[in-house]
Amino acid sequence: MGVRSRNDLIGAKGRIQSALNDWREATATVQESWSDVTAEKFMNDHFADLEGSLQRILIGLQEAAELVRTIEKKTADEEVY
């Protein structure tokens, strides 16, 4: 564990954030051209919780990166003694 682990977590978070941004752009584009009851039902039936799931993943990755940073700091502090 260490800086590499934290950087891996931060990198994964960045890629998921990018995917979430792409998702938002894509759904906005689709909604511009397909905005009827069928479209709304399709989005609700198939993608209702996708954005929420991605947000929870981002939060989890951030928490994991912070935990790794805390472990790094504690380990470094203990090595001083």
Side-chain angles (χ1 to χ4, degrees), residues 30-73:
V30 168
Q31 288 174 341
E32 286 176 9
S33 62
W34 189 32
S35 57
D36 61 9
V37 175
T38 303
E40 185 176 342
K41 181 176 178 355
F42 179 83
M43 293 301 287
N44 287 335
D45 288 352
H46 298 286
F47 303 111
D49 197 38
L50 180 64
E51 189 164 334
S53 295
L54 290 174
Q55 289 287 6
R56 288 188 294 280
I57 291 169
L58 289 170
I59 291 166
L61 287 169
Q62 181 63 39
E63 290 172 351
E66 290 171 9
L67 179 60
V68 169
R69 177 67 185 131
T70 300
I71 292 168
E72 288 171 355
K73 186 172 177 0

Side-chain angles (χ1 to χ4, degrees), residues 1 5 8-9 44 46 62 77 80-81:
M1 199 174 288
S5 296
D8 288 347
L9 291 166
N44 287 335
H46 298 286
Q62 181 63 39
D77 290 346
V80 172
Y81 295 107

